[in-house]
Amino acid sequence: MKSINKGYMLGEQKLPILKDISFSVERGEYVAILGPSGSGKTTLMNIIGCMDVMDSGEYYLDGMPIHETLEDDLTEVRNRKIGFIFQNYQLIPTYNVMQNIVMPLLMRGLTYEEAEQQCIETVRLLGLEERIAHKPSELSGGQKQRVSIARALVGHPSILLADEPTGALDQASGKDVLKLFRQLNEMGNTIVMITHDLNVAQSAKRIVRIVDGKLIE
Amino acid sequence: MRFSEIFRLVWLNLSQNKFKVILTSIGIVVGSATIMMVLAIGTGGKMEVAEQFKNLNAGAIDISYEGGNSGFGFNMGGGRGAGSGNGSFGGSNSGRMLSGGGMPSGGGMPFGGGMPSGGGMPAMPSGGGIPFGGGMPSTGEGFPFGEMFGESQVNEEVILTYDDAETLLTFVPGITDATISYSTTTSVEGGDLEDASYYTVAGVLHNYATISNLELAIGDFLTEDDNDNKEKVCVLGANVANAIFGNAYSAYNNTLYIDNRSYVVAGVLTEMGSVASGISPDTAIYVPYNTGVKYITGNSISPIVTVIAEDVTQVESVMQNVETELKESYPNTTFTISDAGSKMDAASASNETLSLLLVSMAVIVFIVGGIGIMNVLFVSVKERTNEIGILKAIGCSRKAILLEFLLEASCTSFVGALIGVMLSLAITPLVELLSVRVELSVGGAILSLLFGVITGSIFGFYPAYKASRLVPVVALNQE
């Protein structure tokens, strides 16, 4: 990322959120972006996740110039290169665990059966075998987050993007998730985690601080 | 994303919200049921009309004289007196006396604008009983003679004869056939009847069967010889044969008593059902014209001459020529001239108007139903904004989202249309209880399903489009 700027209109005035942010993440890294609320970390995550557009700057993901890519192509990028893990899990309540997990693969044009086949390994890794037919409402917070992680993992993305992954969990479940992140990183996954909690951030191998829209390494 | 997988998701969403699907589609349910019933009632109406008129030949023109008189003392008529004055068929023909030749022709003045068979005729298919007849005084404007000389109503009794029919056949161009018939009610005994019963007895000629599209179940129709020799034979309508003899086979060659005279049953007609005009074939007994006159009615009959126009499109002009021709023979008499075609047209036209009205109603119901679907889908998009955000975050394309929501609308309306079709099947017996003929058809069902789905899809498009255009980050953060 090079000189990223992003602001929102507040009435007639533009409120700058991200100010000239430049940083890079190498393949296989486990980075935590740490900052208090209002520091712009969620906006940064949205830009990294190709869900929001920057006002200026350059962003390359796997060598692809995201700042020049159109929305329709960004859909493809989100599907193939990014795995999202949200604070509040963002599972679709009407689908069961397996149906939630296979979604990114269905969007690649696989049939449900093919996608299900591909997911078995991930489901086993996350210990969700017993839960695949359950609806999200029937799961605990920790289990929901595992489903969310499984959904992010199944497509083998270039980067796992986690927004406050332990924010809604109790301490034990939170620890489990962080342990899982370590494990995933050791397996070669690139992880970028956003948090306001230093303890959580310390589980990452590298911490980047964001204060008032500016990055401090 | 594969279409089959989108469809699977749609199925998943709909099957988990069954009640919502039914509520959403109520407008479509009503719309489809309406379309189906409209088509069924329209078809039923058409078939009803066709059946009621099946004893009518499209080119048939009926001429009758129904008593009264429109003539005035001053006879301006003239014409071919001698030509029409030759022997009467049935009996006295006193009216002829007035149609003397040699008077200066007044160009049909007594009939002035009072031509009774005009536009008013086709109003209803109520048959021969159209009350124009001679009873309507032809108060032809610009006819000063009446007042100048004083009106002298002459009650000339006109009885049409076969000669009149033949005259028309000979002198009016474009007529292929002509016949004469009358009907009366008289007592009948015999067969299984314990007491004398009253039946319609029609005196007809041999060609009546062809002209009225009658078909025989057994035996033969009356012949020319039967008429010439005044044979006591008869042909029975299907219901008459069943009532008197149990069935057509027992009736054939059996004997019954009409007005205490024995008649041999020469044939039995097939069942025709109810008819809108003329003699109802199922409940009539047909005897040779002359036989009837001799043994049953005497001369107190008011026969109807029926002529068949060669070209159905020329019926109007043939009717005019018939009127002109009749005026030559009966200058002071107004006849009721009616054509089967216009009766059929009028009945069909009123039926079509009704169908059009019902179709308009169905269209309105569909629009209301469609707006209902649109509203519910808008709410649904709003409700599921977060879900749309999730789908977008994990890489669902705009096209797939549009397709998913559109398919949901289409499927919802398909379910509604299907329920509508079933509903119309269920209410058909109730509608039939109200004596409305309903003819359900597969075509009607397919059409109403199609209309339902198209309406749902059209009205579902906009909400689906709105859903597909949501910005991922905004949608995702929507609670």
Side-chain angles (χ1 to χ4, degrees):
Chain A
M1 288 191 136
K2 220 185 275 177
S3 305
I4 303 286
N5 283 289
K6 173 77 182 172
Y8 290 113
M9 295 303 288
L10 195 69
E12 300 226 328
Q13 268 200 320
K14 192 161 193 171
L15 188 70
I17 305 291
L18 301 178
K19 299 163 191 164
D20 202 31
I21 286 185
S22 300
F23 88 113
S24 60
V25 176
E26 297 302 319
R27 203 180 292 270
E29 264 198 294
Y30 181 9
V31 183
I33 297 174
L34 179 69
S37 61
S39 59
K41 58 184 189 305
T42 299
T43 306
L44 181 61
M45 193 202 81
N46 287 337
I47 289 173
I48 299 171
C50 304
M51 299 232 290
D52 206 351
V53 285
M54 63 208 93
D55 295 340
S56 64
E58 290 175 14
Y59 169 30
Y60 296 88
L61 179 62
D62 267 356
M64 186 181 182
I66 301 299
H67 53 279
E68 290 172 358
T69 309
L70 298 171
E71 167 57 29
D72 281 340
D73 297 324
L74 286 181
T75 303
E76 183 86 2
V77 173
R78 285 197 292 270
N79 182 246
R80 292 187 179 269
K81 296 189 183 293
I82 296 163
F84 281 102
I85 299 157
F86 300 98
Q87 178 180 359
N88 46 2
Y89 331 118
Q90 301 285 25
L91 302 176
I92 296 172
T94 44
Y95 302 166
N96 66 25
V97 167
M98 186 52 103
Q99 285 158 349
N100 267 289
I101 294 174
V102 297
M103 286 307 285
L105 297 181
L106 296 184
M107 283 157 198
R108 290 184 190 180
L110 268 66
T111 65
Y112 187 84
E113 289 70 26
E114 288 165 352
E116 206 175 26
Q117 204 63 35
Q118 279 200 22
C119 291
I120 290 174
E121 201 58 41
T122 314
V123 168
R124 204 170 292 147
L125 177 74
L126 290 158
L128 290 167
E129 300 103 310
E130 308 286 313
R131 298 285 178 185
I132 52 171
H134 287 72
K135 292 275 172 63
S137 57
E138 297 160 350
L139 304 177
S140 69
Q143 286 167 333
K144 282 184 202 169
Q145 195 58 295
R146 282 169 181 273
V147 177
S148 173
I149 294 167
R151 183 180 61 189
L153 274 177
V154 286
H156 302 293
S158 307
I159 182 169
L160 278 177
L161 210 50
D163 182 14
E164 303 276 11
T166 58
L169 299 176
D170 58 62
Q171 219 170 2
S173 306
K175 269 188 180 169
D176 282 348
V177 166
L178 293 177
K179 214 165 101 188
L180 185 64
F181 276 12
R182 275 268 183 197
Q183 198 184 337
L184 292 173
N185 179 241
E186 276 155 21
M187 289 164 71
N189 292 291
T190 311
I191 302 175
V192 173
M193 177 171 67
I194 281 159
T195 182
H196 67 280
D197 188 339
L198 181 62
N199 292 331
V200 172
Q202 276 167 345
S203 72
K205 290 178 178 168
R206 175 182 156 205
I207 297 176
V208 179
R209 288 171 199 271
I210 181 166
V211 181
D212 277 344
K214 285 188 173 173
L215 274 193
I216 311 153
E217 289 261 359
Chain B
M1 202 167 174
R2 284 179 187 226
F3 185 77
S4 58
E5 295 310 323
I6 294 179
F7 200 79
R8 190 196 290 261
L9 295 183
V10 168
W11 172 249
L12 211 67
N13 283 327
L14 295 183
S15 60
Q16 290 185 20
N17 292 295
K18 293 187 195 85
F19 192 61
K20 190 171 152 192
V21 170
I22 290 170
L23 282 184
T24 308
S25 60
I26 276 179
I28 300 293
V29 171
V30 178
S32 296
T34 312
I35 282 271
M36 178 106 170
M37 291 309 287
V38 162
L39 291 173
I41 291 171
T43 314
K46 261 184 210 144
M47 289 175 81
E48 187 101 319
V49 169
E51 271 182 26
Q52 285 186 344
F53 287 97
K54 70 185 168 196
N55 69 330
L56 286 188
N57 194 313
I61 297 164
D62 284 348
I63 302 119
S64 61
Y65 171 75
E66 294 178 9
N69 188 282
S70 65
F72 291 86
F74 192 84
N75 179 7
M76 296 296 285
R80 216 184 50 253
S84 61
N86 52 9
S88 68
F89 190 84
S92 79
N93 195 9
S94 57
R96 295 296 165 87
M97 301 306 289
L98 288 168
S99 63
M103 295 290 279
S105 166
M109 266 177 68
F111 297 95
M115 157 73 189
S117 62
M121 280 303 296
M124 268 333 283
S126 57
I130 291 140
F132 294 96
M136 192 170 116
S138 84
T139 55
E141 285 166 33
F143 179 61
F145 305 105
E147 284 176 23
M148 279 169 69
F149 296 95
E151 293 180 20
S152 62
Q153 289 284 110
V154 176
N155 291 322
E156 58 172 335
E157 268 302 316
V158 172
I159 298 177
L160 288 163
T161 67
Y162 183 60
D163 288 345
D164 294 314
E166 274 199 323
T167 306
L168 293 174
L169 186 59
T170 314
F171 290 104
V172 177
I175 289 179
T176 56
D177 206 353
T179 192
I180 186 163
S181 61
Y182 62 84
S183 67
T184 182
T185 305
T186 193
S187 71
V188 174
E189 286 175 278
D192 301 342
L193 294 177
E194 287 176 7
D195 299 311
S197 297
Y198 282 84
Y199 281 95
T200 301
V201 174
V204 297
L205 298 178
H206 63 281
N207 58 357
Y208 184 85
T210 325
I211 286 174
S212 294
N213 302 326
L214 302 181
E215 283 172 20
L216 281 136
I218 188 166
D220 297 306
F221 201 71
L222 308 167
T223 64
E224 229 172 327
D225 287 343
D226 290 338
N227 189 50
D228 292 344
N229 302 329
K230 302 183 179 71
E231 296 285 354
K232 281 184 276 175
V233 289
C234 65
V235 168
L236 305 184
N239 292 356
V240 178
N242 290 342
I244 300 178
F245 295 104
N247 59 55
Y249 293 101
S250 313
Y252 181 53
N253 265 338
N254 218 321
T255 307
L256 58 77
Y257 296 88
I258 302 172
D259 216 7
N260 296 322
R261 287 188 177 86
S262 68
Y263 286 73
V264 174
V265 178
V268 178
L269 301 176
T270 54
E271 195 170 337
M272 296 280 285
S274 64
V275 295
S277 181
I279 300 159
S280 175
D282 287 351
T283 55
I285 298 171
Y286 295 92
V287 297
Y289 192 97
N290 284 348
T291 311
V293 170
K294 183 176 178 188
Y295 298 112
I296 304 171
T297 59
N299 291 323
S300 57
I301 49 171
S302 46
I304 295 171
V305 169
T306 305
V307 296
I308 303 296
E310 191 175 12
D311 184 351
V312 181
T313 59
Q314 296 299 313
V315 169
E316 280 288 310
S317 69
V318 171
M319 280 169 78
Q320 268 171 14
N321 293 338
V322 164
E323 197 202 358
T324 313
E325 187 58 40
L326 284 170
K327 217 173 282 173
E328 300 260 326
S329 310
Y330 307 98
N332 296 332
T333 309
T334 304
F335 292 95
T336 300
I337 305 176
S338 64
D339 68 308
S342 60
K343 285 180 202 170
M344 291 185 210
D345 286 350
S348 304
S350 64
N351 189 48
E352 268 162 31
T353 311
L354 183 73
S355 295
L356 199 70
L357 194 78
L358 291 173
V359 167
S360 324
M361 199 175 86
V363 168
I364 293 168
V365 171
F366 262 124
I367 292 173
V368 174
I371 292 171
I373 280 218
M374 187 160 73
N375 284 341
V376 175
L377 278 176
F378 265 127
V379 173
S380 180
V381 167
K382 201 93 186 144
E383 259 176 17
R384 290 163 61 190
T385 302
N386 185 251
E387 181 185 322
I388 296 164
I390 299 168
L391 291 174
K392 290 207 151 197
I394 58 180
C396 194
S397 65
R398 282 178 184 172
K399 202 175 110 193
I401 289 174
L402 178 76
L403 210 58
E404 186 188 335
F405 275 80
L406 202 56
L407 260 179
E408 275 188 30
S410 308
C411 291
T412 304
S413 45
F414 178 74
V415 170
L418 209 60
I419 296 173
V421 168
M422 289 192 286
L423 185 72
S424 62
L425 294 180
I427 61 173
T428 297
L430 297 177
V431 177
E432 280 173 337
L433 274 183
L434 301 170
S435 305
V436 177
R437 182 159 172 176
V438 183
E439 287 292 331
L440 295 170
S441 62
V442 179
I446 292 172
L447 205 67
S448 52
L449 281 178
L450 214 65
F451 261 102
V453 173
I454 290 172
T455 309
S457 307
I458 289 172
F459 284 92
F461 183 81
Y462 189 58
Y465 177 77
K466 290 280 269 189
S468 73
R469 305 301 291 189
L470 285 173
V471 179
V473 68
V474 175
L476 200 58
N477 292 325
Q478 192 105 24
E479 287 302 323

